[in-house]
Amino acid sequence: MASGSFAPINSHVADVGSPPIPEAQSWTRRYDGSFGPLINLSQAVPGNAPHASFLERLGSVAGEAMTSQYGPINGDASLRQAYAEEMSRLYEGRIEAADTAITAGCNMAFFVAMMLLARRGESVLVPTPWYFNHQMSLDMLGIEPRPLPCRPENGFVPRIEDAEALIDEKVRAIVLVTPNNPTGAVYPAHVVEGFAELCAKRGIYLVIDETYRDFLPQGMNRAHGLFTSDAWRRNVIQLYSFSKSYAIPGHRMGAITADAALIEQIAKILDCIQICPPRTAQAVLPWAIEGLRGWREENRAEINRRAQVFRDALASLPEWKIESVGAYFAYLRHPFEGAKAQVVAEKLATERGVLCLPGSYFGPGQEGHLRIAVANVGADVLATLTDRLKGLAL
């Protein structure tokens, strides 16, 4: 071995590309400000601060010795109970505290679920375009992320018949993400329920990531009816994030809902990778789940309003086609036939001061698209996109 070189590392890690968002953010260093301040529509970040009362409680709790100590592996009992009650209310089903575990963010919830369900060399169906951290996690675990195509002509909603054709003896689970990242597509309830039936029939799991469930369209209060009977306990695992709903992504708060027997198995994994979830926000969230319900509804209305402002801003630019929009995201087809998405995104960032992510970050066949995180900025800023996009040339 040559002096200064490294011994080999795990190829499942070495062969995975670097996190893509820092690469995109680096483009902005070349923007000269000629179109005004940078508009960052890349990483999904709440465009508002946490509620003032939440921050006040955080500050108080952070000063208590209790929050500096280890807590229960699966999360504090008060939060698990409050979250189970909220899940039961929202989905009109029976969910107990023992059916939940709190994680250090929803990315960890996904990682844990995949470790639980599949071994190296096995496969999981993942809707494409996919959330790149899902693909990266599976690659590092040695699990094949098998693409489940979601097509523009179907509103980027996966089809059950496509999934059934992809299932073989290696497939251990199907992942659904609704509202979807990156497309914003909201899957109809009958589609979600049909996937659960397919998984039950084929003896595999349905893992449904509902990170953005608190930003469903107005009037749609739950995404599906999976929890209205106890049939879900056999093969459904649900993932959630408190980050966007309470504007606290830095506190890393996620959750897993599964039958209590599966949660006991999940605890083995959590004990090795987090020991316990972060304590400070756990102490405040039981109050916030009920106490900030109205505030969350106001935020949902505002995020939906921003999506409409984005539509209006692009209405006079038909060459930029919005193919899907919902919750935090819009999926935009750019007008440059044959051009690579990264070239277009980089041009927007360096010349027009609009930072978004190229579709190529989200899996194969996405070169014609850009992902826009419409929730990141106010409606007044979104309205200026008309001038920023107009006349862009490669």
Side-chain angles (χ1 to χ4, degrees):
M1 185 171 64
S3 176
S5 63
F6 294 106
I9 65 170
N10 182 350
S11 62
H12 287 312
V13 174
D15 293 344
V16 171
S18 298
I21 288 179
E23 176 187 36
Q25 291 173 337
S26 70
W27 304 332
T28 64
R29 293 195 288 269
R30 307 199 319 262
Y31 174 55
D32 63 9
S34 56
F35 275 78
L38 176 75
I39 301 175
N40 189 344
L41 305 174
S42 58
Q43 187 174 22
V45 178
N48 57 284
H51 191 280
S53 294
F54 196 107
L55 289 174
E56 182 180 352
R57 285 170 167 81
L58 278 176
S60 175
V61 170
E64 297 178 5
M66 173 270 297
T67 57
S68 298
Q69 303 298 313
Y70 286 136
I73 295 168
N74 286 338
D76 290 352
S78 58
L79 177 53
R80 294 176 71 196
Q81 182 63 40
Y83 182 63
E85 291 173 1
E86 174 73 352
M87 286 284 290
S88 299
R89 182 197 67 80
L90 184 62
Y91 292 99
E92 301 176 19
R94 181 181 65 86
I95 298 167
E96 308 291 343
D99 301 322
T100 70
I102 307 303
T103 61
C106 196
N107 268 8
M108 180 175 283
F110 178 83
F111 198 91
V112 166
M114 295 302 102
M115 283 189 70
L116 176 73
L117 301 182
R119 296 178 295 181
R120 183 168 63 89
E122 295 179 333
S123 303
V124 171
L125 300 191
V126 185
T128 54
W130 53 36
Y131 174 42
F132 46 76
N133 280 161
H134 286 176
Q135 172 254 320
M136 292 170 69
S137 294
L138 289 167
D139 282 346
M140 285 188 282
L141 288 168
I143 301 167
E144 177 200 6
R146 189 171 296 183
L148 172 59
C150 301
R151 303 176 181 88
E153 59 268 27
N154 297 324
F156 291 102
V157 175
R159 301 193 313 165
I160 294 169
E161 55 266 39
D162 289 339
E164 187 154 27
L166 291 167
I167 296 172
D168 60 20
E169 69 282 356
K170 289 187 175 182
V171 173
R172 294 292 174 261
I174 298 175
V175 174
L176 298 182
V177 183
T178 181
N180 187 259
N181 177 9
T183 67
V186 177
Y187 301 166
H190 74 271
V191 172
V192 175
E193 292 155 12
F195 269 97
E197 292 172 5
L198 171 64
C199 290
K201 181 177 73 173
R202 299 300 294 267
I204 62 177
Y205 282 87
L206 175 65
V207 178
I208 179 165
D209 182 334
E210 295 188 74
T211 292
Y212 299 95
R213 71 159 187 234
D214 291 330
F215 303 97
L216 289 166
Q218 297 298 125
M220 184 178 181
N221 293 322
R222 71 175 191 197
H224 54 77
L226 293 183
F227 296 115
T228 56
S229 78
D230 276 355
W232 70 273
R233 295 181 175 278
R234 294 195 302 270
N235 71 318
V236 173
I237 296 176
Q238 191 247 28
L239 314 179
Y240 176 68
S241 171
F242 297 96
S243 297
K244 308 301 189 297
S245 302
Y246 298 89
I248 54 168
H251 285 278
R252 310 311 304 133
M253 287 277 97
I256 303 176
T257 299
D259 183 78
L262 288 177
I263 294 295
E264 290 180 7
Q265 300 300 314
I266 285 168
K268 299 175 186 178
I269 307 171
L270 291 176
D271 187 42
C272 293
I273 61 176
Q274 74 172 16
I275 301 196
C276 69
R279 302 296 309 284
T280 304
Q282 281 195 85
V284 181
L285 281 168
W287 162 80
I289 287 172
E290 180 62 36
L292 295 183
R293 193 181 306 283
W295 180 78
R296 297 200 310 275
E297 277 299 307
E298 291 172 6
N299 285 343
R300 173 162 75 148
E302 173 59 21
I303 296 304
N304 279 280
R305 186 173 80 89
R306 291 179 191 180
Q308 185 56 53
V309 170
F310 179 75
R311 293 188 192 96
D312 294 343
L314 270 65
S316 62
L317 303 172
E319 65 274 21
W320 295 87
K321 184 180 180 183
I322 302 172
E323 292 197 322
S324 183
V325 63
Y328 256 61
F329 304 110
Y331 212 52
L332 183 65
R333 178 171 287 279
H334 66 71
F336 306 105
E337 189 69 29
K340 291 192 175 299
Q342 182 163 326
V343 172
V344 179
E346 191 169 352
K347 191 88 166 176
L348 273 172
T350 57
E351 294 189 3
R352 302 300 177 93
V354 177
L355 181 61
C356 59
L357 298 183
S360 52
Y361 284 2
F362 302 96
Q366 305 302 313
E367 291 291 1
H369 291 91
L370 305 173
R371 191 198 77 173
I372 312 293
V374 296
N376 283 22
V377 298
D380 58 330
V381 176
L382 291 169
T384 68
L385 289 175
T386 309
D387 292 335
R388 300 264 186 145
L389 270 59
K390 187 183 300 179
L392 182 73
L394 293 187

